[in-house]
Amino acid sequence: AQTVTQSQPEMSVQEAETVTLSCTYDTSESDYYLFWYKQPPSRQMILVIRQEAYKQQNATENRFSVNFQKAAKSFSLKISDSQLGDAAMYFCAYRSPYNNNDMRFGAGTRLTVKP
Amino acid sequence: DSGVTQTPKHLITATGQRVTLRCSPRSGDLSVYWYQQSLDQGLQFLIQYYNGEERAKGNILERFSAQQFPDLHSELNLSSLELGDSALYFCASSVDPAAKNIQYFGAGTRLSVL
């Protein structure tokens, strides 16, 4: 079964600086989808970015970008120009198109943004 | 606002009781997913429905059941509640079950079992 590992329980960044959150996953599948979700104090799960495994180009959404290394099974999230509103729990997720489209989440990384 | 509505926001009940959580998916979405988020186990997939039919089961206890109605709203029923069932329960929806589709999450129902 696929597992998703976020090795950083907590991270902090200075406002306007850049931070990278790590995510690795274990799979034998060649096609899959990866997601980063943000969970602010409001508890709402908000999609940040999505990556399709068959696309080599790294996904980008404004200040958020990923470094997708398929061979290394790594999917890190880079937040540029960090803002106070970026403070949240960030979850990495893996979704398989083969196993009932099951989505697996990592344990999360709590990001603190310092003013 | 994701467009997914969950009610109630908070639920406090006692051990042994039964509760029902409700979810209305985004307009046009046919798939509904239920997840449990507890402090020690992260976000766990419980069950998935597509257009009224159960499609996939995850780590759902036998005491829990769900259904999706013809109007596509879904209910998660939790019975014989135990202290360990205290958690945040999320509903998510997508246009269909394909893995490529984004799942949009509701704000969750926080269940406290005392």
Side-chain angles (χ1 to χ4, degrees):
Chain A
Q2 298 84 18
T3 57
V4 180
T5 302
Q6 293 180 249
S7 59
Q8 307 152 316
E10 296 183 357
M11 291 283 284
S12 69
V13 62
Q14 206 71 34
E15 195 176 5
E17 297 293 309
T18 296
V19 65
T20 298
L21 308 184
S22 300
C23 173
T24 58
Y25 54 93
D26 182 25
T27 186
S28 58
E29 297 169 347
S30 58
D31 190 21
Y32 47 86
Y33 299 84
L34 298 165
F35 304 84
W36 278 98
Y37 278 89
K38 167 185 177 181
Q39 187 179 37
S42 68
R43 307 179 320 188
Q44 181 88 45
M45 292 285 285
I46 302 165
L47 178 71
V48 175
I49 203 163
R50 177 183 69 166
Q51 176 78 42
E52 298 157 343
Y54 61 86
K55 287 189 176 179
Q56 293 187 343
Q57 186 174 7
N58 289 323
T60 299
E61 286 288 341
N62 300 314
R63 297 181 295 107
F64 298 87
S65 61
V66 298
N67 183 5
F68 173 48
Q69 301 287 330
K70 190 171 184 179
K73 298 178 184 176
S74 171
F75 182 59
S76 60
L77 175 69
K78 186 171 85 170
I79 306 174
S80 304
D81 185 25
S82 296
Q83 300 175 359
L84 295 177
D86 295 334
M89 280 289 285
Y90 286 83
F91 292 94
C92 177
Y94 172 104
R95 195 166 185 207
S96 166
Y98 306 109
N99 183 23
N100 287 322
N101 302 316
D102 189 17
M103 186 146 80
R104 307 248 172 174
F105 286 85
T109 296
R110 182 173 300 280
L111 178 66
T112 302
V113 181
K114 298 178 181 178
Chain B
D1 184 2
S2 67
V4 179
T5 303
Q6 286 188 251
T7 56
K9 284 188 169 48
H10 302 277
L11 204 47
I12 301 174
T13 188
T15 54
Q17 295 298 305
R18 172 189 170 94
V19 297
T20 297
L21 313 184
R22 182 187 170 101
C23 169
S24 294
R26 289 189 328 151
S27 176
D29 284 357
L30 300 179
S31 285
V32 169
Y33 312 79
W34 287 97
Y35 292 88
Q36 178 191 57
Q37 185 180 30
S38 52
L39 281 176
D40 59 349
Q41 292 197 10
L43 212 69
Q44 299 285 326
F45 167 69
L46 295 178
I47 197 164
Q48 175 191 156
Y49 279 83
Y50 173 58
N51 204 19
E53 299 292 324
E54 180 186 305
R55 185 171 173 86
K57 267 186 174 179
N59 300 319
I60 188 166
L61 299 172
E62 285 191 11
R63 301 183 285 109
F64 296 1
S65 65
Q67 53 184 326
Q68 186 180 26
F69 295 88
D71 67 352
L72 300 176
H73 91 271
S74 178
E75 294 181 354
L76 179 66
N77 300 296
L78 314 177
S79 61
S80 302
L81 285 167
E82 302 175 359
L83 296 177
D85 297 327
S86 295
L88 192 52
Y89 291 84
F90 282 107
C91 169
S93 74
S94 65
V95 60
D96 64 45
K100 64 181 180 180
N101 293 323
I102 295 167
Q103 291 186 19
Y104 294 90
F105 283 75
T109 293
R110 182 169 293 284
L111 174 66
S112 297
V113 182
L114 306 179

